[in-house]
Amino acid sequence: LIVVAAAHRRREALPPPWLGPGALDRLTVAVAVASVPVTSVALVAFIGSGRADTETLTEVLVGRPTWVLVAAGVGFSLVNPLVEEVLFRGLLQTALRVAGLSAAAAIAVQAAAFGAIHLYGVPGGPLGVVMAAAWGAMLGVVRQRSGSIRLPWLVHVAANATMFVALVVIARADGLL
């Protein structure tokens, strides 16, 4: 966090350029779009494998009306990706570049940190850390190539929406909701 704060004190442009529209090329868009079904299948397989504790993950939703499930899903799908993209691909990746790391090293470090925070999330455990780190690297490449977190955020929204729906479907099938 100290590196992040120092890097942003040195920048005079507000808002940061990575919040802007960026520049998209066909390859960057193709990688981002292709990652959506791959990530969705991987998340659904992970959750369906029993590696995710659906009971713990859905306990706050038990007994809630459908509109609450929908609102929770929309909120989770939009807000969580925004926070994670700002922290990892926006602030951390930028700070590491400003601190002198190469683009590849900055992507690798932010991806490792992104993977690590998913140890107790979804996907979780050691396999989840590897999955999240690999995906974080892909999101980092998209952010680096585009100069913006907008496209990584959209991809992240799609993944979180898929994950939320999968959790609800499995929890309902198991009689938890």
Side-chain angles (χ1 to χ4, degrees), residues 78-165:
L78 295 174
V79 176
N80 176 266
L82 180 62
V83 170
E84 290 183 351
E85 291 309 315
V86 165
L87 290 176
F88 291 95
R89 265 64 69 188
L91 295 172
L92 181 57
Q93 189 168 325
T94 300
L96 293 168
R97 292 287 287 136
V98 169
L101 269 68
S102 68
I107 290 167
V109 170
Q110 69 78 22
F114 184 70
I117 67 154
H118 286 84
L119 181 62
Y120 298 106
V122 176
L127 176 59
V129 168
V130 172
M131 289 172 64
W135 191 52
M138 186 281 310
L139 292 170
V141 168
V142 170
R143 182 264 184 257
Q144 182 66 36
R145 289 183 58 91
S146 70
S148 173
I149 64 167
R150 288 185 184 186
L151 187 55
W153 175 74
L154 288 172
V155 170
H156 204 146
V157 166
N160 278 27
T162 299
M163 180 173 46
F164 190 85
V165 168

Side-chain angles (χ1 to χ4, degrees), residues 44-62:
V44 170
F46 184 89
I47 293 166
S49 72
R51 293 180 190 264
D53 180 3
T54 54
E55 189 170 347
T56 300
L57 293 170
T58 58
E59 68 186 13
V60 72
L61 301 174
V62 172

Side-chain angles (χ1 to χ4, degrees), residues 61 63-74 164 168 172:
L61 301 174
R64 305 286 188 247
T66 302
W67 73 267
V68 171
L69 291 176
V70 171
V74 169
F164 190 85
V168 169
R172 284 203 171 173

